[in-house]
Amino acid sequence: MGHDHNHAHGVTATGKHRRRLLAVLSITLAVVLIQVIGAALSGSLALLADAGHMLSDAAGVFIALLAAWIAARPASDLRTYGYQRAEVLAALANALILVVIAVVIFTEAIRRIGSAPEVQTDIMLYAAVFGAAANLASLLILRQAQKESLNVRGAYLEVLGDLLGSFAVIAAALVIKFTGYHAADTIASALIALMILPRAWHLLRDVVDVLLEATPKGVEVQMIREHILSVAGVVAVHDIHIWTITSGVPVFSAHVVVEDAVLSARGADQVLDKLTTCLGSHFDTEHCTFQLEPASHSEHESHQHA
């Protein structure tokens, strides 16, 4: 016997913020163009590194938007959850792109050690300041949305890294301008690469947790078990599973042992309503499936585990 709150799969966490992502994509592409031109005119590797990072951000946002569109496709008998997991795969692609960009930048920075070319600091500085202002605007656009979606969070973290990268480029430009120490450009580019890697790792770790169907962060299975056992008529609970389909879509299932008398039509319905209300209100998990089992049947269960 089961009870399922089957929510529509039309709009995912990323899909709700499509306009914000489009705005950030437009801003990012404009900055990439300015910084590439600035890097070509100034000879700055740090500025080119920042442009390369921002280009990866633009690619990541585009992938997120594409995944949101794919994820909105309806479920079918072949794919009963639809294509919502496409958003998680897009976040995985974003993380891998970040790793590649970081490695390329760092390798080029190592190659330049000891032979740092002369840099036109004024052009470098203006382009970096423009990039920092644009990144700050993008951060403000994504600040609230990044709490709801892995993809939007990935874009937010990338833009945050870009902002820090722009600050590094600004600092390098000022050092070169006032001290003539041209190696500052190479050092800044290496720092940008090192800033990218931790963010890529954290995003990759979150994606792997979703793909391995780990318990969502902040959810305590023992506390859920206690809430279920507090429902009148419930004797025991086992085979508890809670995982995430995509950002904002947690799913829960469990075998619930109840008193035999509860399994009348009305009694079972009341228990199921209490269980689903409990999960929805206390743990923000509305997509729940419960299998009710009479207590007299529990002796046939050789293993009872969470």
Side-chain angles (χ1 to χ4, degrees):
M1 187 177 296
H3 191 66
D4 186 9
H5 280 222
N6 186 16
H7 296 280
H9 300 304
V11 180
T12 63
T14 300
K16 289 192 299 183
H17 304 292
R18 205 171 299 174
R19 289 185 178 180
R20 294 176 185 270
L21 288 171
L22 282 171
V24 170
L25 179 60
S26 300
I27 292 171
T28 304
L29 288 175
V31 174
V32 168
L33 180 61
I34 295 296
Q35 289 193 332
V36 167
I37 294 173
L41 295 176
S42 67
S44 170
L45 176 62
L47 192 56
L48 185 61
D50 203 29
H53 184 204
M54 293 200 71
L55 183 60
S56 76
D57 293 352
V61 172
F62 176 76
I63 291 172
L65 286 167
L66 182 63
W69 174 75
I70 293 173
R73 296 179 64 185
S76 66
D77 289 344
L78 183 61
R79 293 180 175 85
T80 56
Y81 280 112
Y83 294 82
Q84 295 189 62
R85 192 53 72 84
E87 290 189 88
V88 179
L89 296 178
L92 175 61
N94 284 359
L96 295 177
I97 288 172
L98 283 172
V99 172
V100 171
I101 291 293
V103 171
V104 171
I105 292 171
F106 194 78
T107 301
E108 178 61 20
I110 295 298
R111 192 186 67 80
R112 281 198 177 194
I113 291 177
S115 60
E118 186 174 342
V119 176
Q120 300 295 323
T121 55
D122 288 343
I123 297 174
M124 176 183 176
L125 186 58
Y126 294 148
V129 169
F130 177 79
N135 288 326
L136 184 59
S138 294
L139 279 180
L140 293 175
I141 292 172
L142 297 177
R143 184 175 59 181
Q144 293 301 320
Q146 61 96 17
K147 299 175 182 178
E148 300 180 23
S149 166
L150 271 180
N151 270 308
V152 178
R153 184 187 171 200
Y156 179 86
L157 290 175
E158 289 169 356
V159 172
L160 178 59
D162 279 333
L163 180 60
L164 297 176
S166 294
F167 287 156
V169 177
I170 292 171
L174 292 174
V175 168
I176 297 171
K177 184 178 181 65
F178 292 109
T179 69
Y181 185 63
H182 289 275
D185 181 67
T186 301
I187 294 172
S189 62
L191 287 175
I192 291 172
L194 292 176
M195 285 189 294
I196 294 172
L197 285 175
R199 295 182 299 105
W201 166 251
H202 288 304
L203 181 59
L204 188 61
R205 184 182 60 186
D206 289 343
V207 169
V208 169
D209 280 346
V210 173
L211 293 178
L212 292 181
E213 299 187 344
T215 301
K217 288 183 178 179
V219 175
E220 297 184 18
V221 175
Q222 181 57 34
M223 189 175 294
I224 292 178
R225 183 183 288 109
E226 292 173 0
H227 274 261
I228 292 175
L229 291 173
S230 69
V231 174
V234 173
V235 176
V237 58
H238 60 99
D239 287 312
I240 292 177
H241 299 285
I242 181 165
W243 66 101
T244 304
I245 297 300
T246 188
S247 302
V249 187
V251 182
F252 177 90
S253 69
H255 290 207
V256 181
V257 181
V258 297
E259 297 172 356
D260 288 20
V262 169
L263 288 179
S264 64
R266 184 175 180 182
D269 188 59
Q270 289 176 345
V271 169
L272 290 170
D273 283 343
K274 290 177 181 178
L275 289 172
T276 52
T277 298
C278 175
L279 267 293
S281 60
H282 292 97
F283 302 102
D284 196 26
T285 305
E286 298 182 351
H287 192 127
C288 309
T289 301
F290 297 98
Q291 177 175 313
L292 297 188
E293 302 172 352
S296 59
H297 178 71
S298 62
E299 63 188 35
H300 299 293
E301 295 285 346
S302 58
H303 298 285
Q304 292 195 3
H305 53 83

